[in-house]
Amino acid sequence: MASKKLRRVGLSPELCDRLSRHRIVTCQDFLCLSPLELMKVTGLSYRGVHELLCMVSKACAPQMKTAYAMKTQRCAALSPAFLPTSLPALDEALRGGVACGSLTEITGPPGCGKTQFCIMMSILATLPTDMGGLEGAVVYIDTESAFSAERLIEIAESRFPRYFNTEEKLLLTSSKVHLYRELSCDEVMQRIESLEEDIISKGVKLVIIDSVASVVRKEFDTQLQGNMKERNKFLAREASLLKYVAEEFSIPVSFASSLFFPYTSFMLNSLKL
């Protein structure tokens, strides 16, 4: 909840713009500053800053809920609980598909089909709900320059020939997949931090990162002293932000990796699409 953007907690656009110029964008950024520092940045009195601190704290603090209330909320939710993978055996193993509102790790050895699976999931998320899709857009963060638009079209035509029977439908689906090539840890983190705006403005129903391990391996040599600690810190923050996005917007967030995370995970040994 600390990752929530200040623009979504009730602060005025003018104040948010002023804070963003000082790189104060999230509730966490705001709450890490002392009242004196906030007075200097905002130009407000101590009382005004104190009121803002109370507002931001209340907005990002987890609200107490009973187990019954949580169950009722889930049952009443309009969004689906799963995004089916269209692979019956895998959907059965996952009890319905890739879960909405949580993180799912897709892991396996190089060349087993992780990227192909991520591309297929991108197509599925754009499909109408009566076909098991989410009828939304996709944010696809590509850290290995492995995404292929041609392959997306091939998979769409191969797996759903009756639906993708016109060029217009293929164009519509491909236009809903928003590709970002981020090749460093800083770029990946900045993209993740801006996901809220993309999800709201583009109607995103699925976030994919392919892959988490690529940029980490390039920038953190675990043989060097201190790098393991920094790598784990980066991965923990990345996972925390992604988990917040998944839960806040009740969408599935999937990432391909050969690193194991303590979230829903399944291994691909070989996948042909």
Side-chain angles (χ1 to χ4, degrees):
M1 297 294 284
S3 301
K4 181 177 287 189
K5 297 297 178 67
L6 290 171
R7 294 184 184 277
R8 300 185 60 223
V9 302
L11 272 62
S12 69
E14 295 79 12
L15 180 56
C16 289
D17 289 339
R18 186 184 303 176
L19 291 169
S20 66
R21 287 196 289 270
H22 294 271
R23 297 186 178 181
I24 305 169
V25 179
T26 67
C27 292
Q28 183 175 3
D29 298 334
F30 189 88
L31 296 174
C32 283
L33 299 176
S34 67
L36 181 59
E37 289 172 318
L38 289 172
M39 287 171 66
K40 291 179 180 178
V41 172
T42 62
L44 298 174
S45 65
Y46 179 83
R47 182 174 181 178
V49 165
H50 179 71
E51 291 175 355
L52 285 180
L53 284 169
C54 291
M55 179 191 299
V56 174
S57 298
K58 185 177 181 180
C60 72
Q63 301 296 315
M64 188 281 295
K65 291 183 180 179
T66 65
Y68 177 76
M70 293 176 67
K71 181 179 183 300
T72 303
Q73 183 179 0
R74 284 182 176 272
C75 292
L78 297 176
S79 57
F82 297 96
L83 172 59
T85 68
S86 77
L87 303 172
L90 183 56
D91 285 337
E92 183 178 355
L94 296 175
R95 303 296 180 88
V98 174
C100 296
S102 67
L103 306 186
T104 300
E105 180 185 9
I106 305 155
T107 186
C112 71
K114 297 189 295 294
T115 295
Q116 305 302 309
F117 184 82
C118 289
I119 292 174
M120 184 182 72
M121 291 298 294
S122 298
I123 297 167
L124 294 170
T126 68
L127 292 176
T129 54
D130 58 7
M131 291 182 64
L134 299 177
E135 205 165 346
V138 179
V139 165
Y140 196 114
I141 302 174
D142 181 12
T143 67
E144 298 181 323
S145 299
F147 181 88
S148 168
E150 291 77 11
R151 185 60 179 142
L152 182 143
I153 297 298
E154 289 175 0
I155 294 174
E157 291 179 319
S158 173
R159 294 199 65 83
F160 305 99
R162 291 185 179 179
Y163 181 75
F164 291 106
N165 54 5
T166 64
E167 187 175 347
E168 288 75 18
K169 288 182 178 179
L170 289 168
L171 288 173
L172 180 61
T173 286
S174 58
S175 67
K176 288 183 177 180
V177 180
H178 302 278
L179 177 69
Y180 298 100
R181 284 206 164 95
E182 313 293 3
L183 304 179
S184 70
C185 288
D186 284 343
E187 289 176 353
V188 170
M189 189 59 72
Q190 289 174 14
R191 180 58 56 193
I192 291 174
E193 288 175 345
S194 67
L195 280 175
E196 279 189 285
E197 287 86 349
D198 281 341
I199 291 170
I200 294 170
S201 63
K202 296 180 173 69
V204 171
K205 298 295 185 181
L206 171 67
V207 174
I208 289 177
I209 302 181
D210 182 21
S211 74
V212 167
S214 175
V215 290
V216 171
R217 285 204 183 96
K218 285 189 296 185
E219 298 189 28
F220 294 100
D221 183 352
T222 56
Q223 300 301 316
L224 299 178
Q225 187 176 6
N227 266 13
M228 179 62 79
K229 180 180 178 181
E230 290 302 313
R231 184 179 94 153
N232 290 342
K233 186 187 298 184
F234 171 83
L235 290 172
R237 174 156 175 76
E238 183 179 46
S240 174
L241 288 171
L242 292 173
K243 187 172 186 291
Y244 162 74
V245 166
E247 292 179 346
E248 179 73 7
F249 296 97
S250 297
I251 63 173
V253 174
S254 302
F255 51 93
S257 172
S258 56
L259 303 171
F260 290 91
F261 287 77
Y263 301 105
T264 304
S265 175
F266 61 87
M267 177 174 284
L268 295 178
N269 292 318
S270 180
L271 179 65
K272 294 182 180 179
L273 299 176

